[in-house]
Amino acid sequence: MFNNAAAQRIAFILFTLITIGCSSGNKKLDTTPTDSLAISSVLFGQDERPDFELINNYFELIQHSLKKEIPIVPLQRALTDEEQKAQEICFQDASFRSFLKDSSGNAYRNEIFGIYPARESDLLAANRSFFTDGSCFRVEMYNFARNITTIAVVKPATSEMIQVAHYIAMQPELPEHLKNLAIQMALENPRVQEALEMKPEMKDALMADTKTALNNSRCERSKHLCVAPTFVKDNKALWTIVDLTDLHVAGLRWTNLGETPVITEVVSERKIQNESITNCYCKTAVPLNRDNWNLEYMITGNDGLRISDVSYKGKPVIKSAKLVDWHVSYSNTEGFGYSDAVGCPYFSSATVVAIDPPKIAEIIHDGKPVGFSIEQFYRSDAWPSPCNYQYFQRYEFYDDGRFRTAAASIGRGCGNDGTYRPVFRIAFAGDKHQLAEWGGDQYVPIQKEGWRLQQFNTRYDRDGGMFKLGTGENNYRLVPANGQFGDGGRGDNAYIYFTRYKADTDEGESDLPTIGPCCNTDHRQGPEKFIEEQPESLQNSQVVLWYVPQIKNDDTKGKEYCWAEAQLVNGVYKTEMFPCIAGPMFIPD
C-alpha cells in the first residue's frame, strides 16, 4: 500500500458546564523561570521588542485591551454577524471570563484565537442535542500570562452558552495575524539574516504557525506560546524560535534535512476536494455497519479521524477513539521541535490537514478477507519537500472481534533525526471497568491512575498482551506493537496512561487543543495532565487509555523509516515512502 508537525504538568483543569436549552550567536537567552501568575500589563520594555509597524500596532492593541473592563483582544479578522454574536456571548459570560484578571483586579493578556462552526465532536455527549441544526460555534481564547486555553460552544441564534472548558498548560492554534507577526519577527531578525546570508521573504517561511519548544528559554516545555518559522538553506533548515508571549526571538537552531530537492506542488482541484471533505466528513459523524461491527466516524477539527459508539455483534466496545496530537522532536539534548495537529481542511486548527476522504478497505490475510479498515491521510501542500509532513491514520476491525488503532508518519519532516510521538486517546464503552497488567504469570489489578513505559524488559502474556480491561460486556487485552503486525513497524516503545473518566470534567471527550509539548523525552507527553497531582482511584469507574508511541526516523539508505524520498524516474520526480506505523492491537479475552 505504501509503495511510493503545554507543559511540564498541569495543575488542574476547570470545567464549567452550563445547559440552558536556544540560541545562535553570542546573545544570552533569558532563562529566568516563568512566573505563570505574572501580570501581563508589564509585558516588556520598549527596548526589548523589535521596532517595526506590525509589532508596534500589535503592542498598542494589547495595551488598549488591558485597560478595558473586559480585557480581551477580539478576533483580528472580519466577522460574520453570527461570529460577532458568538464572541459577544462569550464576553458577557462569567464562566468564560474566569481567568481575565488576578486576585487584585489586574488584567491578564487574553486574546480570542479562533471562532469556528462547531462540529459534533466539539460537544460533550450530554450536549449533542444542541447540534441538531448545526448552528453552534466554537470560540477559543488564550491567556498568555497563565498559559490557559478557554474553549466555549455557543448558539448565537438563542444566545445560549452551551459549555465552557478551561485547559491549563494547553495552547490553541494561531490566528492568521499572529502567524504573520511571527514570520515578520523572524524576517527582521539580524541573526536570521546573518545565518541565511540574506533577508528572507514571507514566502520562504515554513511551519510558521506550528507550536514549538526550546530548552533553556521560556519556550521550554511550552511555558510560553512559541512557534518556529523555518527556512531551508541548502540541505539544512534554520528554525527561528519566536516567543509570542514576550514578543522576541528566543533562539535559532539548525537541523539536517538529508539530500532532497525542493518540490513545488501545484494542486488545481484541492479547493473543491477540501470543500467536499469538510461538508461530508467534518460536520457530523458518518454511520457504518459492516462485518458485525457498527460505528460512527468523522474527521475532527484537530483530533484526527474519530470513531465513536463502536459495537461488535451488538455489544458496545468503544465509546470513542481519536488521534489527539503529533509531537515531533529533533533534538534530545536541545529540546526543540513541533506540536502538530491533524484534522479537517477548513474551519480547523490543524496544521496538517486531510487530503482525501476516509477510505474503507478490506483487510486481506493469506488471500482471504478477515476484516476491514478505515484509513485517513493528512498532508502538507509541498510534501515531500523539507519541513513538510504527511501522516496516516488507520482503524482496523477484524471478524474475530479484534481491533487496532494505528498511525504513521511518512516523512519527510524538518530533519533526519526526528522522534515522532502520536497521542492516541481510547475510551471504552461501559460504566465500570476493571484494569489489570500482566505480572509474569497472571494479571494484577491496577488500583489508581498512572502510566507505564513499554521497554525491552516489559513482560507480556502469550499473545503479547500487556494490559487487560474488563468492561462488563467484554474483556480486551492491549497488545503493544513489537514489530509483530506485519506492517513494517519496528516497535512502539510506548507510554501508556490510564485515567479516570469524569462526566463533569472535559478531559478529552470533546476536541482538545494541543495537549502537550513537542519535545519532552520522558512521560510528560500530555496525558499526565489528567493524572497529576493526585492520582485518583480507578475502582468502579470508567477508564480512559492514552497510548503514545515513540518512533525514531531514519534516512540511512536501505533502512529508511518515517521518511520520504523524491527520486528522478524517467526524468521526473517520484516519491518513495517509508512509513513508520505504530499503535496497539486490542484482542478480546
Side-chain angles (χ1 to χ4, degrees):
M1 179 172 57
F2 292 99
N3 57 336
N4 298 18
Q8 179 180 0
R9 64 186 182 182
I10 193 167
F12 60 94
I13 284 188
L14 296 178
F15 179 79
T16 305
L17 180 63
I18 303 173
T19 305
I20 310 178
C22 335
S23 66
S24 64
N26 298 319
K27 183 177 180 179
K28 183 179 180 180
L29 290 177
D30 180 3
T31 58
T32 306
T34 300
D35 177 5
S36 63
L37 302 181
I39 307 304
S40 287
S41 57
V42 282
L43 285 170
F44 36 65
Q46 179 73 27
D47 60 333
E48 294 177 314
R49 57 188 172 90
D51 183 21
F52 55 86
E53 184 178 6
L54 196 61
I55 200 168
N56 289 335
N57 291 342
Y58 183 59
F59 181 69
E60 291 177 4
L61 183 67
I62 295 168
Q63 292 294 308
H64 176 71
S65 74
L66 293 172
K67 298 173 184 177
K68 297 168 64 176
E69 179 60 28
I70 301 175
I72 304 174
V73 175
L75 187 59
Q76 295 298 293
R77 63 167 173 81
L79 303 181
T80 66
D81 291 342
E82 284 186 308
E83 290 171 337
Q84 184 65 44
K85 182 66 178 295
Q87 184 170 252
E88 290 172 359
I89 293 170
C90 292
F91 280 20
Q92 299 304 318
D93 184 79
S95 299
F96 189 85
R97 302 198 315 260
S98 295
F99 297 100
L100 296 190
K101 300 178 181 180
D102 71 359
S103 57
S104 299
N106 298 302
Y108 294 129
R109 177 182 162 200
N110 295 275
E111 182 171 345
I112 302 297
F113 270 36
I115 302 175
Y116 310 99
R119 297 175 173 83
E120 186 177 335
S121 59
D122 290 320
L123 288 149
L124 298 179
N127 295 325
R128 296 277 162 80
S129 60
F130 285 91
F131 193 75
T132 53
D133 60 357
S135 60
C136 300
F137 284 83
R138 172 183 170 114
V139 182
E140 299 178 354
M141 180 175 71
Y142 182 64
N143 180 314
F144 286 83
R146 296 284 299 273
N147 195 19
I148 297 172
T149 293
T150 297
I151 298 178
V153 178
V154 303
K155 191 168 185 176
T158 56
S159 299
E160 289 176 285
M161 173 66 73
I162 298 172
Q163 63 188 45
V164 182
H166 304 286
Y167 300 94
I168 294 180
M170 298 189 197
Q171 301 170 339
E173 302 306 313
L174 297 189
E176 189 70 16
H177 77 280
L178 284 182
K179 171 185 173 181
N180 292 335
L181 180 63
I183 294 174
Q184 197 64 43
M185 291 174 66
L187 300 182
E188 300 291 339
N189 188 269
R191 290 181 291 160
V192 172
Q193 298 175 17
E194 180 181 357
L196 297 175
E197 298 179 324
M198 59 172 285
K199 182 177 180 179
E201 300 178 13
M202 290 283 287
K203 64 180 178 60
D204 300 322
L206 305 173
M207 303 295 290
D209 56 349
T210 308
K211 291 182 290 297
T212 189
L214 179 64
N215 285 349
N216 299 319
S217 78
R218 291 188 175 183
C219 297
E220 183 178 358
R221 297 174 186 154
S222 300
K223 296 186 184 78
H224 280 193
L225 178 63
C226 299
V227 293
T230 303
F231 305 94
V232 173
K233 179 178 173 62
D234 300 325
N235 293 322
K236 292 185 177 183
L238 178 68
W239 298 52
T240 309
I241 315 296
V242 176
D243 184 334
L244 288 171
T245 300
D246 278 349
L247 295 180
H248 75 109
V249 172
L252 309 181
R253 291 292 184 271
W254 287 99
T255 54
N256 293 314
L257 297 172
E259 298 291 334
T260 187
V262 175
I263 300 173
T264 301
E265 180 187 18
V266 178
V267 185
S268 59
E269 298 182 1
R270 176 63 55 82
K271 182 177 180 180
I272 297 174
Q273 178 79 309
N274 286 348
E275 290 176 351
S276 175
I277 292 170
T278 299
N279 291 331
C280 296
Y281 301 101
C282 293
K283 294 182 178 179
T284 58
V286 179
L288 177 63
N289 182 355
R290 178 168 175 160
D291 301 345
N292 292 316
W293 290 92
N294 284 277
L295 58 96
E296 294 183 339
Y297 65 94
M298 68 178 295
I299 309 172
T300 66
N302 58 338
D303 283 352
L305 182 68
R306 174 182 179 266
I307 57 172
S308 59
D309 297 329
V310 181
S311 63
Y312 173 68
K313 292 186 176 180
K315 292 184 177 182
V317 177
I318 305 170
K319 183 179 181 180
S320 66
K322 57 186 180 179
L323 179 57
V324 175
D325 275 347
W326 277 93
H327 300 161
V328 189
S329 173
Y330 288 104
S331 172
N332 289 334
T333 56
E334 294 188 279
F336 64 95
Y338 290 127
S339 292
D340 282 351
V342 293
C344 289
Y346 287 154
F347 308 117
S348 166
S349 57
T351 54
V352 185
V353 301
I355 58 168
D356 292 302
K359 178 184 178 182
I360 300 171
E362 276 191 327
I363 300 174
I364 305 295
H365 282 176
D366 296 328
K368 298 179 180 180
V370 295
F372 69 95
S373 65
I374 308 175
E375 303 174 345
Q376 183 63 57
F377 283 84
Y378 313 88
R379 190 172 73 206
S380 304
D381 281 345
W383 181 87
S385 295
C387 297
N388 286 268
Y389 293 78
Q390 181 165 202
Y391 296 119
F392 166 75
Q393 189 180 0
R394 180 168 66 206
Y395 295 101
E396 301 171 358
F397 302 94
Y398 292 87
D399 296 340
D400 58 9
R402 290 176 297 149
F403 69 91
R404 187 183 181 201
T405 61
S409 170
I410 318 176
R412 174 175 192 104
C414 214
N416 61 0
D417 61 345
T419 300
Y420 293 81
R421 296 180 177 92
V423 181
F424 297 94
R425 182 185 187 271
I426 305 115
F428 278 78
D431 296 329
K432 295 181 180 180
H433 300 156
Q434 298 81 43
L435 181 67
E437 62 182 322
W438 183 250
D441 54 2
Q442 63 180 345
Y443 276 95
V444 180
I446 295 175
Q447 305 294 334
K448 291 186 177 183
E449 295 177 316
W451 59 271
R452 302 288 188 270
L453 174 61
Q454 178 198 8
Q455 302 181 78
F456 70 92
N457 59 349
T458 293
R459 294 178 290 185
Y460 308 97
D461 70 16
R462 66 183 183 276
D463 295 318
M466 186 174 170
F467 295 93
K468 181 169 68 173
L469 187 136
T471 68
E473 291 282 344
N474 304 283
N475 292 316
Y476 274 90
R477 286 175 287 159
L478 185 157
V479 180
N482 279 302
Q484 77 274 45
F485 295 138
D487 53 17
R490 299 177 184 177
D492 288 353
N493 186 31
Y495 284 104
I496 304 167
Y497 309 76
F498 27 95
T499 66
R500 177 175 181 148
Y501 172 78
K502 295 183 283 293
D504 59 347
T505 304
D506 187 3
E507 294 187 344
E509 183 179 347
S510 65
D511 278 9
L512 283 166
T514 301
I515 190 175
C518 62
C519 308
N520 287 344
T521 59
D522 57 11
H523 74 283
R524 293 166 300 158
Q525 299 301 319
E528 80 285 349
K529 294 174 170 61
F530 306 124
I531 299 172
E532 301 170 345
E533 292 286 334
Q534 296 295 325
E536 297 186 60
S537 171
L538 294 178
Q539 299 304 301
N540 298 314
S541 66
Q542 299 178 54
V543 177
V544 177
L545 296 176
W546 302 77
Y547 190 92
V548 184
Q550 303 184 92
I551 321 163
K552 185 73 175 67
N553 78 345
D554 193 345
D555 68 339
T556 304
K557 295 298 182 184
K559 299 181 180 180
E560 293 92 344
Y561 199 54
C562 304
W563 198 245
E565 291 279 5
Q567 304 284 0
L568 271 176
V569 178
N570 296 325
V572 296
Y573 283 110
K574 299 291 184 181
T575 302
E576 188 174 6
M577 298 183 281
F578 306 93
C580 47
I581 302 179
M585 180 81 76
F586 291 88
I587 300 178
D589 195 31

